[in-house]
Amino acid sequence: MAELDVRKPLPAITPEAKTFWDNAAEQKLTIQRCQACQAWVWTPKPLCNECGSDKVVWTPMSGKGEVYSFTVIRQVVGRAASKSFEPDIPYVIAWVDLEEGPRLITNIIGCPVDKVELGMKVTVQFEKASEKIWLPKFKPA
Ligand SMILES: [Zn+2]
């Protein structure tokens, strides 16, 4: 587990996303799924993006996926908050396709940045970012 670093900007726990963060704190990755049309709803919303139904239900994910795309961050620039990421350099920001379908923006951890590749199989690992927020990141499977 990464060292707790409260200087970094954290996601807001909105009413729509509270269940996501509550589940993440229990090491469970969940995504909303529309019960009317079966579409995945990500990011969290009260209504389905596809059909407008309010029958969106939090659904457990396997936590398995693969790297769709990624970039390696080798320097930080700009706002002061960005400086809080400096100790992590170099690090990877990636799109990960979950095996169930949804695509998340996340970090790849647990391997050298030059070992990350497209299509790499990964599995979720939650990192504690605050008392209430555990971030879903992904490591090589
Ligand atoms: Zn729908």
Side-chain angles (χ1 to χ4, degrees), residues 33-74:
R33 188 165 209 180
C34 176
Q35 300 305 294
C37 76
Q38 302 303 309
W40 294 105
V41 180
W42 180 256
T43 55
K45 294 175 188 69
L47 301 176
C48 174
N49 294 324
E50 301 298 323
C51 75
S53 170
D54 64 355
K55 304 247 181 318
V56 290
V57 173
W58 289 100
T59 306
M61 300 285 104
S62 66
K64 296 175 184 167
E66 66 178 49
V67 175
Y68 170 74
S69 185
F70 71 96
T71 188
V72 179
I73 306 299
R74 299 185 187 278

Side-chain angles (χ1 to χ4, degrees), residues 11-131:
I13 302 179
T14 61
E16 294 79 17
K18 184 177 184 310
T19 299
F20 176 83
W21 294 116
D22 287 348
N23 290 339
E26 296 178 3
Q27 319 290 299
K28 295 174 188 163
L29 183 61
T30 51
I31 303 285
Q32 290 172 305
R33 188 165 209 180
C34 176
Q35 300 305 294
C37 76
Q38 302 303 309
W40 294 105
V41 180
W42 180 256
T43 55
K45 294 175 188 69
L47 301 176
C48 174
N49 294 324
E50 301 298 323
C51 75
S53 170
D54 64 355
K55 304 247 181 318
V56 290
V57 173
W58 289 100
T59 306
M61 300 285 104
S62 66
K64 296 175 184 167
E66 66 178 49
V67 175
Y68 170 74
S69 185
F70 71 96
T71 188
V72 179
I73 306 299
R74 299 185 187 278
Q75 63 178 351
V76 296
V77 294
R79 300 180 306 143
S82 299
K83 294 292 181 191
S84 61
F85 290 92
E86 214 155 45
D88 298 342
I89 288 175
Y91 64 96
V92 175
I93 296 176
W95 269 337
V96 165
D97 285 344
L98 299 178
E99 66 179 11
E100 293 87 354
R103 178 174 290 163
L104 309 183
I105 294 177
T106 183
N107 296 122
I108 305 300
I109 58 173
C111 74
V113 296
D114 58 357
K115 297 298 184 195
V116 177
E117 48 188 40
L118 300 181
M120 187 171 87
K121 303 291 186 197
V122 291
T123 188
V124 72
Q125 178 172 326
F126 290 90
E127 276 192 4
K128 188 174 188 178
S130 77
E131 288 308 315

